[in-house]
Amino acid sequence: MVKQLSISGFLDVVQKCVERKLNYRKCKLSENLKSFEKCSCLLIVSTHQSCADPKLRPAILTDKTKEPAIKYINKKFPNIDFRGNIQNLISIQRSKSEVLAATSSYYDSFLDVIEFRVIVLFWELTDLFNFDLQAVNFDFTKNYLDLIVTYTSVIITLSRIEDKKALVGMFNCAHEMTNGSSDPSYPRLGQMFVEYEHPWKKLTEEFGPHTKVNSVTAALLSLRMLYPRRNLPAEQWRSAQLLSLLSAPAAMLDPACCDTMACEYLSMEVMERWIIIGFLLCHSSLNTNQATLELWKMALRSGLYLTLTRDEVLNIHKVSEDLFDNIKGYSKRVADIKECRDHVLVNSGAMHRERRQFLRGAMKELFKVLEDEPGLLGPKALFVFMALSFSRDEVLWLVRHSENMPKIKTPEDYVDNQMAELLFYMEKLSGLMRKYSHVVQRYHVQYLAQFDALVLNDTIQNMYVCPEEESVLLSSFVSVLSALSVKQVENKEEFDLRPLRLDWLRLQAYTSVNKAPLPLKDYPDLAKVMNMIQFHTRMVDSVEELLHETSDVSILCFYPRVFEKMFSQSSEEMTMKRYLMSFPSVCSHFSQCAHPLCPEETEALEKRSLRLCVTFLEQIAKQTSGVVLEICAEQHNLNDELLPKHCAESISAARYRKQKKPPPKKGEVQKEKPGAESLRKDRTILTNMDKMHLMLTELCSSFSLCTDFAVFDHTVIPTEFLLSHLEMRLSEIIVRMANYNKTTQEITRPSDLLAGLRAYTANLHWLTSYINVDVARLVKSVLLQQTVPLDSHGGQTITTIYTNWFLEGLLRQASNSLIVHCPTMHCFVNQSTDIESTFRAEEFSDISELRALAELIGPYGMKFLSENLMWHITSQVTEIKKMVIENMDVLVQMKNNFDKPEEMANLKRRLTGGENILKRMTIIGVILSFRAMTQDCLKDVTLNVFELASAAGLTCNIDPALVAAIGSMQTDNTSMDEEYKLSCLLLVYIAVSLPTMALDPNSLYNREHGGHNNNIHCLATAINQLAAAMFTIQNKNIEQQLKEFLLMASSTLLQLGQNVERVESKNRESVYLLLHMIVEESPFLSQDMLESCFPYVLLRNAYREVYKSFVITLG
C-alpha cells in the first residue's frame, strides 16, 4: 500500500509554496512530482486489485453469515448506526478481529485515494508555471499531465468498485466495536464515496478554478504541433519513407537528431489520454479556442476507447456525450462528438489496419539493415525507439478495440491475422538493442563528451542572463559530460547519469516559474540541447528502461482471450508461422505488470503468464512435430515400397517377358515403380511433400527468435517443448506401427517395424538442418523407453506388445501343438491342420525376425520378455509339484523297484497324470527353446556382469534366470530336503511317463523339422535345464541325479520294446530318439553313459526307421 507519508509530504510542500510563498527551489517540487507520479501509478494498481479480480476478492464478502450485515451497510452507508442495529451486525461482532485483518489493507488503499485527492491543492499553485511539452520543459510538463490523468483514472476506477462501501463500512464497524469509536478518517472517506457516485460531474467541479489559469489547457496546447504530426495515415508515412534508413544512403551515418527527441517516441495513446481527459476536465476552452477544439476533435477521431488501467477502458464518446449533455451551451460539442464517433466507426479501423501493414514492412527493413550493420545502432538508435513505440501503439489500439468490438459493417478491420509478424520484429529489434548495447553505449559516450558538452558550453556562454544557482547546475552538466571517456566503456564501468537528468528536471522547475530570473522559454536553444543530451544519456545507462517504455505490451496479460485469438488467427496463415514464437516471447513482458508494493497479485499474474506461454509453445510444438512426423511417415511409405516383399509383382512381370507370355489385359492398372513420384513435368506443380517442407521451414524459423527467455522466475526453452512433443508422438507412432490387434492376434513383423523405425529416425536426423535440436538425444530417449514395459507417459511399449503377442499368440499355440518348434531351421512353424492360422509362425520366429526384435527392444526388453517367460515356467512347475506330491508314494516305490518289470507294471497302473506331467514339461521345454532362440540374437551385446550373461545372449550350463525364478518359489513351509525329494521324484515321474508318448500319433519324429510333431523333443531342453536349476538351488550333484534319471528312463523305454501290442509301439522309434536328444543337449551326460544303459543299436535302428518313412521331394 502507498504510505500516507509520501502523499501528505508532497502536499505539505505544495501548501508551503502556496500559503507561505516559500522559495520553490527549497520545496524540491520537481523531485516530489516525479516520485509522486510513481506512487499514484501504484494507487491505480492497488485500487483496481481491491475487488475487481474475483480470485482476489476477500473471503468475507462471500461469507453467507455476513450477507445481512453487508446488505445493511450498503443500504445505510455512510450514516450507519453501529450501536442501535446490532442485530444486523451480529456476524461482524462475533468476528471483529478477523474483519479488521481482512479489510484493513483495502481501507488503507481507499485512504490513499483520499490523500491523493488533496492534490487539487497543487492546481492553485500551477499559475506559477509555464508548460510547454514540445519546445521547453518536456519532462516537467509530461509529469504534470501524467499526474492529472492518473488522478482521474484513480477516481474513475474507484467509482467502478462495487464492494467499496461494504469494505469500508465493515472495517469501521469492527473498528468501533473493538476501540469504542469510529476511525477518524471514516467521515471523509464516506463523504468522498458519496460525492463520487457521479465521478465526472465532481471532477469537472474540482477543476473549475483550474480552467481560469489555463495551465492544463496551455500544457495540452503544446501538443497542437506534435500530435497532428504523429497522427498521420499510412499513406503519408509511406510517402515520407518513415523509419527507412535506405531512403537517404548518403546520410546513413549521420546521427538521428531533432529538436524534440523525447517527443518522437512518446506514446500516441498517452497523448490521446492527455487530450481527451484533460479537455473533459477543463472543457470551457473548447468553446473559446479553435486550436483546442481541433486538437480535441482529432483525438476523438482516433478510436473509441482509452485505457484507464490494465483492462479497464474508457468509452470516450459515450462519456463525453453524457457529460456535455448536462451542460448548457454544449450542444455543438455534442454534435461534434457524434460526428467524430461516426467517423471512427467508418474510417478508424481501416486507418489503423493500414498503419500496421506499413509498420510490418518498415520494421522488417529496419531490422535487416541494423542486423547486417549493428554499428548503425549508435547514430540511428532513435529510429529503433520510434519504430517500437509506433508498433506498440498499434498493437494496444487493436487489443482494446478487439475486446470491445463495436457493431460495424467491416469487422475484419478489427481482426489482424498478421499480428505475429509485428510482434516478432518488435522482439527482434529489442533483442538487437540489448545484444549491441555496448555499441550504442560507446557511440553515445563519445557523442556526449566530444559534441554535446561543447555545444552546451557554447550555448551557456551565449546566455546573457544566468543566475548563480542555475549557472552551477549548467556548469556541472558540462563537467559531467566532459569527464566521460571510451576507456570507461572498455573497462565495463557502470554509468549512472540519473543525477544529471534529475538536475535538468529541477532546472526546468526553476526556470518555468513565472517571473523566474532565468525564464527557460527565452532560451529555447538551451532546452533543445538539454533534451537531446537527456536522450543521449539514456542511451548510455538506461537502454533497458527506454526499451520497456517504448515496447512494453504487458497489457496483453489482461486480455488473454484477445491474445489467444490473435495467436490462433496468425497460426492459420502459412506466411505467419515463422513469426509465431513472438507470442510466447511477449509473455516475458508480463512480469512488468506486477508492482513490488502489491505482492499479493504476483502469484496470479505468474500463473496466467505461464499458462499463456505454455499454451502457445504447446501449439507451436504440436504443429511442428505434426509436420515433421508427417514427412517421416511419407518417407516411411516410400521406403516401404523398396522392401523385398513388394518385388513379387516385378519378378512375375519379368518371368512373363522371359517366357513370352501375353501381357496383362488393358483394364488392369499397372502399378508404378518406386521413384515414380520424383518424376514431374512441371516444377511449379507443388506436391504434398513440397508443401510440408515449406511449412516445416516456416515453423522452424520461428524458433530462431530466441534460444530461451524468462517468464517471471522461470526460464523457458522453446525447443524443449518441440522435443517433448516429438518424443510423445514418436512413441505413439512406434506402438501404432506395431499394429497389434489383441482380438485377432495380428501384429507387424519385427523386421518390418525395424525397417520403418530406421526410416523414421533417418528422416528425423535431417531436422537438425532446420533447427538446432539434439535429435540423437531424442531418438535415444524414445528407443530406450521402448525397451521397458511402460513409457514416460504410462503408455504401452513395443516391449510389452511383443511380449504379450509371443506369449499369447505364438507360444500358446505351440503348447497346443498347432505350432511346432523346428530345430533344423531355428524357428517355429505352423502344423498342417484343419484350423487356419492367422499368421505364419516362421515369419515371426526365424533368426532374422528375432534379431530384429532384439534390436528393437534391446537387452532390457529381452530381460522383460525372459521374466515373463520365467513366470509361465514357474506356474507350470507349481502345478507339476502338486502332481508329484499327489503320487509321492507310488513314485517312491517306482524309484526303488525300477529294475522289476512286473512290480513296475503294477505301480504304473496306480500312477495318475503321466500324460499331464509330460504335457506341462513339454510346455516348459517349448518356452525354454524359444528363450534360447531369443538369447542367441543378443550375442553381440556385451555386459560385464556375469549374472546378466544370459540376458546378453551368452550360453550357460546352468541358466541363472531359471535358477532365480525357481529359487523365488521357495517358501518357509518346506525344507530344502523336502524340495530335493520332490525334485528327485519329478525325474522319476517323467522317466516312467515317457513310454506313454508312443501312444500319441503326433509323437512322430519329423526329419524336415528335426523334431516331433507334438513338440516332445523340447522335453530334452526342459529336463536338462529344470534339473540343473533345481539341484543347483539345493546344492546337489546334478550329474548324479541325471544319471539316475537316464538309467530309469532307459529301463522304462526298454520295457516298451518288450510290448507286442502294435498300438502302443506305433511311435516307439520316435520316442527312443528323445532319449538321445536328452543326452545330446545335456552338458552333464555323455554318449558313454547312454550306451551303458541303452543299446546303441536300438538308436541306430530308430533313426533308420524314422528316416525311411520320410519322403524326399526335389523341386
Side-chain angles (χ1 to χ4, degrees), residues 207-248:
F207 277 79
H210 200 60
T211 308
K212 298 177 182 178
V213 298
N214 286 325
S215 296
V216 176
T217 304
L220 293 175
L221 280 174
S222 65
L223 293 168
R224 67 185 179 276
M225 298 298 292
L226 173 62
Y227 181 68
R229 177 168 59 83
R230 289 282 305 277
N231 191 19
L232 296 175
E235 292 79 5
Q236 295 190 36
W237 282 1
R238 194 171 284 109
S239 61
Q241 293 186 312
L242 186 69
L243 303 178
S244 176
L245 298 180
L246 303 178
S247 59

Side-chain angles (χ1 to χ4, degrees), residues 232-472:
L232 296 175
E235 292 79 5
Q236 295 190 36
W237 282 1
R238 194 171 284 109
S239 61
Q241 293 186 312
L242 186 69
L243 303 178
S244 176
L245 298 180
L246 303 178
S247 59
M252 190 173 288
L253 295 178
D254 295 346
C257 293
C258 63
D259 296 339
T260 55
M261 296 283 278
C263 296
E264 301 306 316
Y265 53 83
L266 182 61
S267 171
M268 283 286 291
E269 184 186 9
V270 168
M271 288 191 282
E272 288 163 4
R273 201 158 43 228
W274 290 344
I275 294 169
I276 298 296
I277 293 178
F279 285 132
L280 280 175
L281 299 178
C282 307
H283 48 73
S284 61
S285 61
L286 296 176
N287 289 332
T288 59
N289 191 321
Q290 185 64 28
T292 299
L293 180 63
E294 292 300 323
L295 185 62
W296 176 68
K297 289 171 66 175
M298 182 178 292
L300 285 177
R301 293 192 187 103
S302 63
L304 296 171
Y305 301 95
L306 284 177
T307 301
L308 288 176
T309 173
R310 295 183 173 177
D311 56 344
E312 292 289 324
V313 295
L314 185 70
N315 189 331
I316 56 178
H317 300 95
K318 185 178 184 303
V319 168
S320 301
E321 187 175 349
D322 291 345
L323 177 63
F324 292 161
D325 266 340
N326 299 319
I327 303 177
K328 292 182 179 180
Y330 278 78
S331 57
K332 290 185 179 181
R333 301 292 77 81
V334 173
D336 290 338
I337 293 169
K338 292 179 179 179
E339 183 269 330
C340 291
R341 181 175 58 233
D342 294 339
H343 180 276
V344 169
L345 294 176
V346 175
N347 301 307
S348 186
M351 183 185 74
H352 285 277
R353 183 194 64 214
E354 291 300 319
R355 281 185 181 176
R356 293 192 301 274
Q357 185 64 29
F358 167 79
L359 285 171
R360 276 188 280 269
M363 293 275 284
K364 182 176 182 179
E365 177 191 309
L366 182 63
F367 170 72
K368 293 294 184 183
V369 172
L370 294 176
E371 183 186 36
D372 188 56
E373 293 293 341
L376 291 175
L377 284 169
K380 302 300 181 183
L382 180 62
F383 277 60
V384 175
F385 295 109
M386 288 171 61
L388 291 174
S389 180
F390 294 176
S391 302
R392 190 267 314 273
D393 285 337
E394 294 306 315
V395 171
L396 298 189
W397 185 94
L398 182 63
V399 167
R400 63 178 179 270
H401 284 80
S402 295
E403 181 70 6
N404 306 277
M405 175 77 75
K407 293 182 180 180
I408 55 175
K409 296 181 180 179
T410 56
E412 62 274 7
D413 290 340
Y414 294 85
V415 174
D416 193 346
N417 54 11
Q418 296 180 324
M419 181 56 70
E421 184 176 4
L422 194 58
L423 292 174
F424 181 85
Y425 283 112
M426 287 179 67
E427 291 295 298
K428 282 297 227 180
L429 273 176
S430 300
L432 204 64
M433 283 296 292
R434 292 185 180 97
K435 181 179 179 180
Y436 295 104
S437 59
H438 61 283
V439 174
V440 178
Q441 189 181 58
R442 182 185 183 93
Y443 177 86
H444 285 93
V445 163
Q446 295 180 77
Y447 201 104
L448 286 166
Q450 301 174 18
F451 181 81
D452 287 342
L454 301 178
V455 172
L456 178 61
N457 188 51
D458 292 343
T459 305
I460 295 172
Q461 298 300 325
N462 294 330
M463 293 173 62
Y464 54 86
V465 175
C466 191
E468 182 180 355
E469 191 164 349
E470 284 81 350
S471 177
V472 170

Side-chain angles (χ1 to χ4, degrees), residues 595-648:
H595 200 287
L597 297 181
C598 283
E600 64 273 9
E601 67 172 355
T602 303
E603 184 179 356
L605 290 174
E606 183 177 354
K607 287 181 179 179
R608 185 185 305 173
S609 304
L610 286 173
R611 184 189 66 80
L612 286 169
C613 180
V614 170
T615 299
F616 296 146
L617 287 172
E618 290 283 354
Q619 290 296 321
I620 296 171
K622 184 178 180 180
Q623 289 188 41
T624 309
S625 63
V627 175
V628 169
L629 295 175
E630 193 174 346
I631 293 174
C632 290
E634 189 71 21
Q635 293 291 342
H636 166 249
N637 294 335
L638 297 175
N639 184 74
D640 187 70
E641 293 179 4
L642 296 175
L643 294 180
K645 64 181 181 180
H646 294 296
C647 67

Side-chain angles (χ1 to χ4, degrees), residues 744-1004:
T744 61
Q745 290 298 324
E746 293 179 353
I747 198 169
T748 303
R749 294 169 59 185
S751 59
D752 290 347
L753 178 57
L754 182 61
L757 188 55
R758 283 173 174 167
Y760 265 87
T761 54
N763 284 281
L764 275 174
H765 278 287
W766 52 249
L767 180 62
T768 54
S769 61
Y770 289 89
I771 184 174
N772 185 23
V773 291
D774 192 351
V775 176
R777 177 170 67 91
L778 164 69
V779 173
K780 288 178 181 178
S781 175
V782 172
L783 295 184
L784 188 60
Q785 289 181 47
Q786 294 301 314
T787 65
V788 293
L790 298 175
D791 62 18
S792 59
H793 302 283
Q796 280 193 338
T797 62
I798 56 174
T799 295
T800 305
I801 290 173
Y802 276 106
T803 298
N804 292 339
W805 185 86
F806 277 109
L807 288 171
E808 301 298 328
L810 189 139
L811 294 178
R812 186 174 293 277
Q813 293 191 42
S815 65
N816 295 325
S817 300
L818 297 176
I819 292 176
V820 181
H821 175 244
C822 181
T824 56
M825 293 189 290
H826 296 279
C827 66
F828 286 83
V829 296
N830 292 80
Q831 188 78 276
S832 299
T833 61
D834 296 335
I835 302 174
E836 185 179 354
S837 179
T838 56
F839 62 91
R840 295 182 63 189
E842 59 270 26
E843 292 183 356
F844 292 86
S845 59
D846 63 7
I847 293 176
S848 61
E849 295 300 329
L850 293 181
R851 283 179 178 171
L853 178 68
E855 191 167 348
L856 283 170
I857 67 176
Y860 290 108
M862 284 297 192
K863 184 175 183 291
F864 177 75
L865 174 61
S866 176
E867 289 172 352
N868 279 268
L869 294 174
M870 289 303 162
W871 182 87
H872 282 268
I873 290 174
T874 54
S875 300
Q876 296 296 333
V877 171
T878 302
E879 297 300 319
I880 288 172
K881 284 185 176 181
K882 292 179 182 179
M883 296 173 65
V884 172
I885 293 172
E886 289 175 2
N887 295 275
M888 185 175 292
D889 295 337
V890 178
L891 291 173
V892 170
Q893 294 180 50
M894 281 185 156
K895 183 179 180 182
N896 297 329
N897 300 298
F898 73 92
D899 55 346
K900 300 175 182 178
E902 296 81 4
E903 191 73 23
M904 287 291 289
N906 294 330
L907 292 172
K908 191 173 182 181
R909 294 188 187 97
R910 294 168 54 190
L911 188 65
T912 60
E915 293 181 0
N916 195 358
I917 197 80
L918 292 177
K919 179 69 174 175
R920 293 188 181 278
M921 286 297 295
T922 302
I923 292 173
I924 294 175
V926 169
I927 294 174
L928 289 173
S929 298
F930 173 74
R931 181 172 179 274
M933 291 165 59
T934 59
Q935 299 295 340
D936 288 341
C937 299
L938 277 174
K939 287 184 178 178
D940 295 334
V941 181
T942 56
L943 297 176
N944 295 327
V945 183
F946 177 74
E947 287 76 7
L948 295 179
S950 62
L954 304 179
T955 57
C956 301
N957 291 341
I958 303 169
D959 192 338
L962 188 58
V963 171
I966 294 178
S968 64
M969 296 172 60
Q970 300 290 340
T971 62
D972 297 334
N973 298 330
T974 57
S975 64
M976 194 62 70
D977 291 338
E978 291 176 351
E979 290 291 333
Y980 172 61
K981 182 179 180 181
L982 288 176
S983 301
C984 293
L985 293 179
L986 172 58
L987 293 182
V988 173
Y989 203 165
I990 297 169
V992 299
S993 300
L994 286 178
T996 60
M997 289 290 99
L999 301 175
D1000 188 352
N1002 285 329
S1003 296
L1004 180 66

Side-chain angles (χ1 to χ4, degrees), residues 40 113 127 159 260 266 329 345 473 499 503 553 779 1017:
S40 60
V113 177
D127 61 341
S159 68
T260 55
L266 182 61
L345 294 176
L473 282 176
D503 282 343
V553 289
V779 173
H1017 58 279

Side-chain angles (χ1 to χ4, degrees), residues 149 165 338 478 645 657 705 741 883 906 934 1011 1097:
V149 170
K165 293 181 180 179
K338 292 179 179 179
V478 176
K645 64 181 181 180
R657 288 194 297 271
L705 176 61
N741 189 324
M883 296 173 65
N906 294 330
T934 59
V1097 65

